[in-house]
Amino acid sequence: MEQGLRRVIGGDAGVPDGEVAGLSDDDLLALYRSLVLLRTYDERSVVYHRQGRIGTYAIFWNHEAMQVGSVHALEDRDWIFPSYRESAIGLLRGIPASTILSWWRGHPAGWWNPADHNVASICVPIGTHVPHAAGLAWGKRLNGEDAVAIVYFGDGATSEGAFHEGATFAGVLKAPLVLLCNNNQWAISTPVSAQTAAETLADKAIGYGMPGVRVDGADVLAVYEATRDAVDRARAGAGPTFIEAVTYRAAPHATADDPTPYIDPERVEEERARECVGRYERYLRRAGLLSDELAEGIKQGALVLMRDGIAAAEAEQPGDPALLFEHAFAEPPASFGHELAELRRVLAG
Ligand SMILES: Cc1ncc(C[n+]2csc(CCOP(=O)(O)OP(=O)(O)O)c2C)c(N)n1
Ligand SMILES: [Mg+2]
């Protein structure tokens, strides 16, 4: 494991546990509930995929800590811009599991109004949501609101033009934005060493005139603390921060990927042994905050939520094909009329 990363959770090889000022015991347990919720969502989704109940799925196993730690550092008025790797992050804002499962089923019940939960649509094109998040953050500031935005993207996204444009824009305009890069070491089969010649991704921040912070992305408390600092800074008008959460993708890129030709199985095993949910669970047990009974109850609750979620998603009636044509244009082009009629004719035939 790399040295020089911001960390709070100890426990390995005699490293003492730290603490985060301002977090109560209830807050610490809330972080655990969120971790278990996301872990359960992810593990069940892989099963649902194998059973043919959802489509191709982007696994986020071992990335739960960077998602949970950062979301817990936000206020509800702050906006979240997820990539496909954070597809279920809206669960932490109250979006039902059935909605997100419907998204992976390609069903319109999986679309939500971003303004309902301040969670933008899941972004599949790499990095294109970085300028969107920068623009929204800047707009909030222009409106005199004190909301901030956070945008999630991967190590591979830092090579994209859209990332550069969004980061430049946010830096110059001092937009209240947190750029949270999940450096999981891989962009499908491209290792981060082929992605950049920079020593760290956080080093890129200096070129955009913003602080760059490196944190252990499998340490939920360290991510929380680093994000809270960045959010405070953004809210105070001091501008954006780039956070590099150093993680490891201990699962395939997605259910459609076979990583065996390019991955080092020993490294994967090592990373699986120190995965982020178990690390935090042991931290809470050392602190005397988590009993077997409480942990079991939280896990069972998450499983029930998933079972109900997939049942509700599967109970949806087929979507109206007209929805394909809605929401894209404020003033739809005239051609949509006959194109929809043609689609209905094809589907009926
Ligand atoms: C603009 C664009 N180019 C290419 C792709 C194909 N693609 C899907 S995932 C991926 C790798 C992205 O890696 P990274 O940014 O590190 O994110 P991770 O998948 O590791 O979370 C690529 C190239 C895409 N979705 N969008
Ligand atoms: Mg990556």
Side-chain angles (χ1 to χ4, degrees):
M1 187 60 208
E2 275 179 82
Q3 300 304 309
L5 295 176
R6 203 161 151 169
R7 283 211 188 95
V8 176
I9 301 176
D12 305 330
V15 180
D17 283 326
E19 274 182 26
V20 178
L23 282 181
S24 67
D25 291 354
D26 281 351
D27 294 333
L28 293 172
L29 284 174
L31 287 167
Y32 179 70
R33 277 198 185 81
S34 294
L35 284 172
V36 171
L37 179 58
L38 289 189
R39 172 62 54 89
T40 308
Y41 181 95
D42 186 71
E43 293 188 340
R44 292 312 298 162
S45 290
V46 173
V47 173
Y48 296 151
H49 168 75
R50 300 256 158 82
Q51 294 172 338
R53 301 166 86 180
I54 62 170
T56 299
Y57 170 69
I59 305 155
F60 57 76
W61 200 92
N62 202 32
H63 297 338
E64 296 88 346
M66 49 87 44
Q67 299 185 27
V68 167
S70 52
V71 168
H72 277 247
L74 305 174
E75 301 292 337
D76 285 347
R77 64 184 181 283
D78 298 332
W79 273 70
I80 297 171
F81 285 75
S83 82
Y84 53 84
R85 191 70 69 200
E86 296 80 29
S87 65
I89 206 163
L91 293 176
L92 308 181
R93 280 282 177 85
I95 295 181
S98 59
T99 303
I100 302 164
L101 288 163
S102 290
W103 191 88
W104 286 108
R105 285 167 59 78
H107 191 283
W111 307 340
W112 64 83
N113 180 348
D116 288 346
H117 300 275
N118 295 345
V119 179
S121 312
I122 299 164
C123 188
V124 177
I126 308 302
T128 56
H129 56 324
V130 181
H132 301 165
L136 180 127
W138 184 43
K140 291 282 174 194
R141 189 139 213 95
L142 291 178
N143 284 341
E145 298 173 41
D146 76 343
V148 313
I150 186 165
V151 58
Y152 296 86
F153 52 89
D155 41 293
T158 61
S159 300
E160 284 284 349
F163 161 76
H164 173 67
E165 290 152 21
T168 299
F169 189 87
V172 169
L173 295 166
K174 286 203 183 311
L177 181 68
V178 180
L179 298 107
L180 186 27
C181 178
N182 175 11
N183 178 5
N184 64 4
Q185 321 289 326
W186 296 99
I188 313 184
S189 56
T190 303
V192 71
S193 56
Q195 199 69 250
T196 179
E199 204 165 307
T200 75
L201 294 176
D203 285 349
K204 295 193 176 218
I206 196 167
Y208 299 105
M210 63 180 81
V213 179
R214 268 188 120 214
V215 62
D216 180 348
D219 180 333
V220 67
L221 294 175
V223 174
Y224 170 84
E225 202 176 34
T227 311
R228 192 176 63 183
D229 290 352
V231 166
D232 287 350
R233 185 173 184 275
R235 223 185 289 289
T241 300
F242 180 98
I243 300 176
E244 177 186 354
V246 180
T247 63
Y248 194 83
R249 206 195 72 208
H253 168 74
T255 49
D257 175 42
D258 172 9
T260 48
Y262 65 85
I263 209 114
D264 169 6
E266 277 175 27
R267 174 80 195 268
V268 172
E269 274 320 302
E270 254 171 53
E271 297 289 342
R272 291 185 77 87
R274 56 179 297 282
E275 57 79 24
C276 63
V277 179
R279 265 174 87 185
Y280 188 57
E281 186 164 326
R282 293 191 292 277
Y283 174 91
L284 289 179
R285 286 178 190 275
R286 287 193 294 274
L289 291 173
L290 190 68
S291 63
D292 289 349
E293 200 186 355
L294 183 55
E296 197 46 37
I298 291 171
K299 286 175 190 169
Q300 286 306 323
L303 278 170
V304 169
L305 185 129
M306 287 305 293
R307 257 181 238 130
D308 292 350
I310 193 76
E314 288 180 331
E316 290 287 347
Q317 294 302 307
D320 178 356
L323 286 169
L324 277 176
F325 294 84
E326 286 179 17
H327 307 301
F329 289 89
E331 291 167 26
S335 62
F336 272 20
H338 71 79
E339 286 168 5
L340 175 58
E342 173 71 5
L343 179 62
R344 286 200 195 282
R345 197 184 58 74
V346 170
L347 291 173

